[in-house]
Amino acid sequence: MNHDLDQYVVRIDQPKFPLLRALVQGGQLQQVLTSVPGWPRANVYQPLPQVTAGGDNLLRLGLIQLTAQLYALPSAAYEAILRSSSEYWQPAGLAELRTLFDTPGVNADVFRASLKATLARPLVQDHTPHLAAKDHGCHADWRPDRTLILEQDGRWLLVLAFHLRSRVPWASERHVYGIDLNDDPILCVVDAARNVQMVGARHSLLDALRHDHAAQVPGAQLSPEEIRLVSTLGYAAGRAPLEVALRGLLGQARAVGVERLDLRGRQARFVARSREQAALDWHTAWLPQALYRAGIELHRLDPVCPTRERHRHLTRLGTVQGRTPHGPPCEQSHRAFDILKRTLQLRHLKARK
């Protein structure tokens, strides 16, 4: 097992970028030579004021407030921040709103009315992790003193550090898995016994809210505050099935194979991407770090064809449009079995050396 710190990168809201530049100028963010995996060209800064969390979108550096996507963390890390925060403010009725959001067949107008009513009430101090998956299989402890801030290409990001460990016991028989990341469903997970698991179907209410907002349906456009909360709920809805799948891998996997993804052009946009953002964060950070903690091999494989042109299966071509992989389930299963095959071949070659 491995016991060094885990780091998760979350996004800082763009309106706060000038404030961060001012903090650098004023000496409250001190540049350090530390490197952060995955960000080789970034300028890295350490905050000198004490770091505390005040809500799902609020981080404090002393008396200075930053808005950042703290909800965009794996469940164990999210829970750790709530446990460590003396003042954590959440919308009153968030638990009920999330239940309504995830209720199959709920009417979009009914949800929008409940959303407006929730935001009309004052925030309350609440340390309950309403947005966490119920059974994710990991435990984390937050290290606020190891917080870092990155700047790369004009964007600013927050790096939060945790002690992470798996709580899932290993099964007596473990397997090699291949995983393909897609859009609907989010994941296809296969093993050498040809068991196929499709994870994360589309969220019909989220799609309806996105469509009505983009189409400027009268009475259906959302305010910036409503957009933020819907995006938070969409992220939580995307995270939940992914962490259930991860818990299964922690207990049953000997090795896992995934493709490397080229995500340089990805952008987080409103509810259209909140669910997909969770899938990408799972693929690029949560999965590899949790497997590392549990001592399970991860093999990142080169894509068999360019990012925008994936396997051809029958007469249909899956693509990556912007930042979201698209392909029918039959094609996704085909890709996942190809990833599994190449993972098994790679492990066989390494064993012979």
Side-chain angles (χ1 to χ4, degrees):
M1 301 298 174
N2 304 291
H3 302 287
D4 50 323
L5 288 177
D6 286 271
Q7 294 176 313
Y8 297 106
V9 178
V10 298
R11 297 154 186 83
I12 297 174
D13 291 347
Q14 187 170 353
K16 295 297 181 179
F17 291 0
L19 172 60
L20 290 164
R21 289 191 285 269
L23 292 176
V24 172
Q25 293 286 334
Q28 292 174 287
L29 292 181
Q30 183 176 12
Q31 189 164 9
V32 293
L33 299 178
T34 304
S35 62
V36 176
W39 300 88
R41 297 184 294 105
N43 296 313
V44 182
Y45 299 92
Q46 184 173 22
L48 297 186
Q50 181 182 11
V51 176
T52 58
D56 291 340
N57 291 279
L58 180 61
L59 189 83
R60 297 189 182 94
L61 308 182
L63 299 177
I64 300 163
Q65 294 189 354
L66 293 178
T67 48
Q69 297 177 5
L70 299 188
Y71 64 83
L73 289 166
S75 292
Y78 174 68
E79 291 174 352
I81 283 186
L82 269 75
R83 286 197 310 270
S84 303
S85 303
S86 59
E87 293 187 3
Y88 203 90
W89 296 83
Q90 300 192 65
L94 180 60
E96 293 78 7
L97 189 66
R98 184 183 179 187
T99 298
L100 182 63
F101 184 79
D102 289 332
T103 300
V106 67
N107 181 272
D109 288 332
V110 171
F111 175 80
R112 279 189 287 262
S114 181
L115 175 67
K116 292 181 185 298
T118 297
L119 288 172
R121 299 162 64 186
L123 296 176
V124 296
Q125 282 199 43
D126 186 354
H127 290 79
T128 306
H130 298 296
L131 304 181
K134 290 184 172 58
D135 187 12
H136 48 77
C138 293
H139 178 84
D141 293 303
W142 184 31
R143 286 289 303 274
D145 58 308
R146 298 293 293 274
T147 300
L148 298 173
I149 293 178
L150 305 182
E151 185 278 323
Q152 180 170 304
D153 301 328
R155 293 185 300 156
W156 293 80
L157 303 109
L158 187 64
V159 184
L160 300 171
F162 301 86
H163 287 289
L164 179 71
R165 64 181 183 272
S166 171
R167 299 186 302 186
V168 181
W170 278 358
S172 57
E173 183 179 356
R174 295 185 291 135
H175 307 280
V176 179
Y177 289 84
I179 299 177
D180 183 61
L181 179 67
N182 201 47
D183 181 28
D184 181 20
I186 295 176
L187 297 179
C188 177
V189 182
V190 302
D191 64 24
R194 302 193 68 81
N195 297 309
V196 179
Q197 181 185 8
M198 295 292 186
V199 177
R202 293 200 65 84
H203 196 287
S204 58
L205 176 60
L206 187 60
D207 287 343
L209 295 170
R210 172 182 62 191
H211 173 271
D212 293 350
H213 179 83
Q216 299 184 358
V217 173
Q221 285 191 279
L222 304 179
S223 69
E225 191 176 13
E226 290 167 344
I227 286 173
R228 174 176 289 180
L229 186 49
V230 170
S231 296
T232 302
L233 293 169
Y235 193 97
R239 168 173 48 204
L242 294 166
E243 297 210 54
V244 171
L246 178 56
R247 192 188 192 286
L249 292 169
L250 290 174
Q252 300 177 34
R254 181 181 307 279
V256 175
V258 296
E259 282 189 334
R260 293 188 184 92
L261 296 181
D262 181 0
L263 304 175
R264 287 174 295 181
R266 69 176 183 164
Q267 297 293 330
R269 302 192 306 273
F270 177 32
V271 297
R273 293 293 176 260
S274 57
R275 175 178 167 275
E276 290 85 348
Q277 181 185 324
L280 290 165
D281 289 344
W282 184 91
H283 183 277
T284 57
W286 308 353
L287 172 68
Q289 293 192 57
L291 295 182
Y292 176 73
R293 290 292 158 225
I296 298 170
E297 298 176 21
L298 175 69
H299 299 280
R300 289 198 182 277
L301 308 171
D302 291 331
V304 296
C305 45
T307 307
R308 291 184 176 273
E309 190 172 330
R310 300 175 68 92
H311 288 350
R312 192 176 293 276
H313 181 55
L314 301 179
T315 60
R316 310 176 80 173
L317 178 66
T319 61
V320 173
Q321 299 173 359
R323 65 193 288 272
T324 305
H326 293 267
C330 59
E331 179 198 340
Q332 191 180 6
S333 175
H334 173 77
R335 290 199 305 261
F337 275 114
D338 177 79
I339 292 168
L340 173 63
K341 177 182 176 181
R342 289 189 286 142
T343 302
L344 291 168
Q345 290 172 340
L346 180 60
R347 295 186 80 241
H348 178 69
L349 289 173
K350 286 185 175 180
R352 294 181 62 183
K353 290 182 178 178

